[in-house]
């Protein structure tokens, strides 16, 4: 009888223990990816929303507390979070997720980065000295990162290995199918001329062969000045782009100023999960991005 009670108590406790795996994701796209692979019932804290610039985040007490309890941290890396994550990790004091630990997963380590500067000049204000860290808008990058993330999850949460492997296999199958569809839909966008606020969409452009002819920032992270915008205006008036694109968190003013004068629409792309009401997961993020760009075709 006593054994039976102990057994019943164990059964009651076990699911809790299995669910206790906690993830700290720096950006919404990684929170979505980890849920795709490990299932919806794992606990994920996301440090930023689609309406926050991931370059600049405050190491709030609630984030420090979440990092303190996390078994896995997943971030873009390539210096995207250099302004806030090192401080947050120091304050959290959680050995499991410090750089170099298996619980510290850096997505950018698994992809080929673009826009790596030949000469790094931090004094010039460039916030991308390691190349472009906004790696999630190429489905090929997501595929590579998903595979590496699946392996890492199994390594640190071996008790859930079968579930994770199944989740990964299922995700990769659906992702591959969706990628083929997006490439078909995106075929008509080839060569589309765009202006972007920041180099947020470079991997998307690289993948779909879009032509980002200029950015509103003279260098990544350097706000557009009036003089720089006037110079751009003079350049673009001769051959206006199809649209001026920005993320939900970027200042709308420079886009709207230029759009009005060049006579071209300024549009917001979701950029990450949650950026528009329709972009609720990684799949709908890509669906929406391509749909919005196709709307701008002339
Ligand atoms: Zn950036």
């Amino acid at each position: 009888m006593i054994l039976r009670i102990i057994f019943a108590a164990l059964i009651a406790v076990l699911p809790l223990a299995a669910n206790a795996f906690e993830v700290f994701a720096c950006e919404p796209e990684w929170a979505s990816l980890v849920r795709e692979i490990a299932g919806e019932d794992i606990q994920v804290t996301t440090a930023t929303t689609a309406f926050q610039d991931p370059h600049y985040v405050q190491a709030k007490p609630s984030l420090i507390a979440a990092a303190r309890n996390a078994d896995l941290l997943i971030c873009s890396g390539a210096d995207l979070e250099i302004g806030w994550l090192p401080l947050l990790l120091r304050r959290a004091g959680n050995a499991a997720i410090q750089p170099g630990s298996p619980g510290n997963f850096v997505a950018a380590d698994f992809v080929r980065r673009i826009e790596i500067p030949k000469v790094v000049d931090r004094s010039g204000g460039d916030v991308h000295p390691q190349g472009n860290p906004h790696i999630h808008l190429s489905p090929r990058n997501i595929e590579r990162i998903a595979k590496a993330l699946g392996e890492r999850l199994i390594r640190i949460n071996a008790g859930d290995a079968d579930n994770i492997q199944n989740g990964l296999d299922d995700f990769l199958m659906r992702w591959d199918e969706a990628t083929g569809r997006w490439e078909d839909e995106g075929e008509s966008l080839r060569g589309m001329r765009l202006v972007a606020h920041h180099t947020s969409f470079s991997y998307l452009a690289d993948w779909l062969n879009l032509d980002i002819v200029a950015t509103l920032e003279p260098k990544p992270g350097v706000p557009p000045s009036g003089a720089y915008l006037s110079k751009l205006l003079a350049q673009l008036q001769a051959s206006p782009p199809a649209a001026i694109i920005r993320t939900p968190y970027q200042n709308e003013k420079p886009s709207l100023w230029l759009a009005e004068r060049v006579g071209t629409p300024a549009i917001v792309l979701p950029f990450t999960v949650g950026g528009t009401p329709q972009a609720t997961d990684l799949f709908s993020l890509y669906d929406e991005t391509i749909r919005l760009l196709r709307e701008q075709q002339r």
Side-chain angles (χ1 to χ4, degrees):
M1 180 63 187
I2 286 174
L3 270 180
R4 198 175 286 172
I5 291 169
I6 291 171
F7 188 67
L10 272 178
I11 295 282
V13 166
L14 274 175
L16 274 178
N19 287 339
F21 192 80
E22 291 186 27
V23 176
F24 182 97
C26 285
E27 291 87 23
E29 58 269 25
W30 308 130
S32 284
L33 184 60
V34 82
R35 284 198 188 99
E36 290 281 356
I37 297 172
E40 288 292 331
D41 53 348
I42 64 161
Q43 199 182 321
V44 184
T45 299
T46 314
T48 56
T49 72
F51 300 93
Q52 280 175 288
D53 185 339
H55 288 286
Y56 310 101
V57 176
Q58 232 194 326
K60 296 183 293 194
S62 59
L63 290 182
I64 295 165
R68 187 167 291 147
N69 296 325
D71 302 288
L72 175 76
L73 168 136
I74 171 167
C75 297
S76 297
D79 281 358
L80 176 61
E81 303 93 355
I82 193 97
W84 56 277
L85 190 59
L87 174 72
L88 191 140
L89 284 177
R90 258 200 316 280
R91 294 209 174 143
N94 176 355
I97 59 165
Q98 296 298 321
S101 303
N104 184 296
F105 184 90
V106 178
D109 287 352
F110 301 95
V111 303
R112 188 183 61 83
R113 287 203 293 285
I114 59 176
E115 298 170 359
I116 295 174
K118 287 185 186 75
V119 182
V120 176
D121 180 14
R122 278 181 189 274
S123 66
D126 185 347
V127 293
H128 294 168
Q130 308 288 330
N132 191 315
H134 307 290
I135 54 178
H136 64 284
L137 289 178
S138 153
R140 302 299 175 201
N141 284 355
I142 293 289
E143 184 189 337
R144 289 190 194 102
I145 294 161
K147 287 176 183 167
L149 179 61
E151 270 178 36
R152 189 68 65 89
L153 282 165
I154 288 171
R155 185 171 156 197
I156 54 181
N157 192 15
D160 206 22
D162 287 349
N163 178 41
I164 295 165
Q165 190 64 52
N166 289 339
L168 176 65
D169 293 346
D170 179 61
F171 172 73
L172 288 174
M173 202 177 69
R174 289 181 295 126
W175 192 252
D176 186 57
E177 191 184 57
T179 301
R181 178 164 50 79
W182 294 322
E183 285 175 351
D184 289 346
E185 289 171 1
E187 192 55 42
S188 65
L189 298 171
R190 183 179 282 270
M192 184 181 199
R193 295 176 71 254
L194 296 165
V195 169
H197 180 104
H198 176 78
T199 52
S200 312
F201 301 100
S202 300
Y203 291 87
L204 179 77
D206 196 47
W207 167 51
L208 291 177
N209 294 296
L210 312 174
D211 186 8
I212 297 183
V213 295
T215 54
L216 303 184
E217 295 177 337
K219 277 183 188 180
V222 177
S225 66
Y228 186 75
L229 286 177
S230 298
K231 204 173 83 181
L232 272 184
L233 173 61
Q235 274 171 30
L236 295 170
Q237 269 169 332
S239 71
I244 299 170
I245 57 176
R246 69 179 191 277
T247 69
Y249 64 80
Q250 284 156 351
N251 182 358
E252 63 177 13
K253 282 186 189 157
S255 279
L256 298 180
W257 183 90
L258 192 65
E260 192 185 312
R261 283 157 183 82
V262 176
T264 211
I267 62 165
V268 177
L269 296 178
F271 181 61
T272 186
V273 176
T276 61
Q278 293 82 6
T280 55
D281 61 14
L282 284 168
F283 291 90
S284 47
L285 167 64
Y286 278 74
D287 286 340
E288 270 304 284
T289 302
I290 292 172
R291 185 185 70 78
L292 287 165
L293 287 173
R294 289 181 70 175
E295 267 184 16
Q296 302 306 321
Q297 284 182 298
R298 300 178 171 185

